[in-house]
Amino acid sequence: MKLMINHQTHYHYTDAVHSSIQYIRMSPSSNSHQTVQYWDVSVPGQKQVKQDAFANIWITSSQRFNYQQMSIMAQGIIEISPETEALPSDHLNPSLFLQPTAATQCSLEMLEFAKRYVKHPSRQCLIHLAAAILDYMPYLPASTCVTTSAPQAFAYRQGVCQDHSHVFIAMCKALGLPARYVSGYLYVPNSAHLASHAWAEVFLNNHWYSFDISNQIFSPCSHIYVAIGRDYWDVAPVRGVRQQGGIESMHSIVQVLAC
């Protein structure tokens, strides 16, 4: 199945920005599930492309001029295999994804919750856990922010795909199961999916199995991988620093369409 993605991120500043550096992870790579047929990221200024520690494509872009508006445009065509059930082990050591992070700490309440559903490390038990998490903390748009940690989201009993993934990853790590965060896109048939997406993967039987808690999908049948990491901060689409600029506002548009 071929999918066309158009991802636009528009920034506006109340004062002039004099210079800035952006770190951009908006470029998918080919793997056993997907083939990148074409991809381009357009951003003003100079850019350098390399790989980060997780083999994600990492663009460093610098703007050495004054501006009050800036747009980053990513677009391309990806062919995915809807039959993919899991991704095979890759070059990354799974133990890397047992490392704790500030966003994926696991509280005692979270660990006790996880143990109710995961009696032994199996995919089916983890599917039960994923369903229980969504029931306990339903999806609610704009209910949290990017700095919300897993324990905070769990205490709020609501969240978005980032929170569901962080909570699930935190619980899996506490149970001794390597788990990682995936950023990407989700194709919804007969609809333009208007947001980028996040889900989790757990390492079982030498494969990485997908757990999309927000949508209760347990294979990457409709998913496009962009970046993987320990949590959101390892895969954030755009991070950066700037000199001056006043107050920043950002507007993002994402379309995922069959082609």
Side-chain angles (χ1 to χ4, degrees):
M1 177 168 57
K2 289 184 181 180
L3 300 172
M4 179 178 64
I5 299 94
N6 179 23
H7 188 169
Q8 305 176 26
T9 306
H10 304 284
Y11 295 92
H12 176 76
Y13 302 90
T14 55
D15 297 322
V17 177
H18 295 301
S19 66
S20 61
I21 299 176
Q22 309 289 337
Y23 305 102
I24 303 167
R25 290 177 176 83
M26 297 173 67
S27 302
S29 300
S30 296
N31 57 30
S32 61
H33 168 66
Q34 66 188 34
T35 301
V36 179
Q37 297 192 342
Y38 165 78
W39 195 265
D40 181 65
V41 176
S42 175
V43 58
Q46 297 180 329
K47 68 179 182 180
Q48 181 182 26
V49 182
K50 53 187 176 180
Q51 287 187 324
D52 66 14
F54 303 100
N56 302 314
I57 298 174
W58 179 16
I59 297 174
T60 301
S61 173
S62 58
Q63 297 79 36
R64 305 300 183 189
F65 47 82
N66 295 349
Y67 65 90
Q68 279 190 258
Q69 297 185 56
M70 183 178 70
S71 295
I72 301 173
M73 312 281 284
Q75 58 184 345
I77 296 176
I78 313 293
E79 185 168 7
I80 67 170
S81 173
E83 292 78 29
T84 302
E85 184 170 295
L87 269 61
S89 178
D90 49 39
H91 69 285
L92 296 172
N93 188 333
S95 63
L96 177 65
F97 298 101
L98 286 169
Q99 294 178 359
T101 69
T104 58
Q105 296 293 321
C106 187
S107 66
L108 180 59
E109 292 77 14
M110 291 168 61
L111 180 57
E112 291 176 347
F113 184 95
K115 287 181 175 178
R116 290 181 219 156
Y117 301 95
V118 184
K119 303 300 183 182
H120 53 88
S122 71
R123 184 185 180 197
Q124 194 57 49
C125 285
L126 292 174
I127 288 174
H128 291 323
L129 174 61
I133 289 173
L134 184 60
D135 183 63
Y136 184 81
M137 45 183 298
Y139 184 93
L140 184 63
S143 58
T144 57
C145 63
V146 294
T147 59
T148 303
S149 68
Q152 289 171 331
F154 190 76
Y156 296 157
R157 297 195 64 168
Q158 60 190 23
V160 295
C161 58
Q162 173 186 302
D163 305 299
H164 290 149
S165 299
H166 278 164
V167 167
F168 184 80
I169 289 168
M171 290 178 178
C172 288
K173 287 181 179 180
L175 294 170
L177 299 172
R180 64 191 188 186
Y181 189 101
V182 186
S183 69
Y185 304 105
L186 175 67
Y187 170 61
V188 179
N190 304 316
S191 172
H193 189 69
L194 299 178
S196 52
H197 194 45
W199 62 97
E201 288 188 323
V202 180
F203 193 71
L204 295 167
N205 303 318
N206 214 38
H207 283 76
W208 287 102
Y209 286 92
S210 295
F211 294 86
D212 183 342
I213 291 87
S214 301
N215 294 291
Q216 295 293 288
I217 301 174
F218 304 108
S219 72
C221 55
S222 302
H223 298 67
I224 298 170
Y225 289 73
V226 172
I228 59 171
R230 297 164 300 173
D231 58 23
Y232 167 81
W233 298 105
D234 284 338
V235 306
V238 182
R239 297 181 69 180
V241 293
R242 58 184 167 87
Q243 182 180 359
Q244 299 187 22
I247 299 172
E248 176 187 277
S249 59
M250 187 270 285
H251 177 58
S252 183
I253 301 172
V254 180
Q255 292 179 304
V256 182
L257 304 170
C259 61

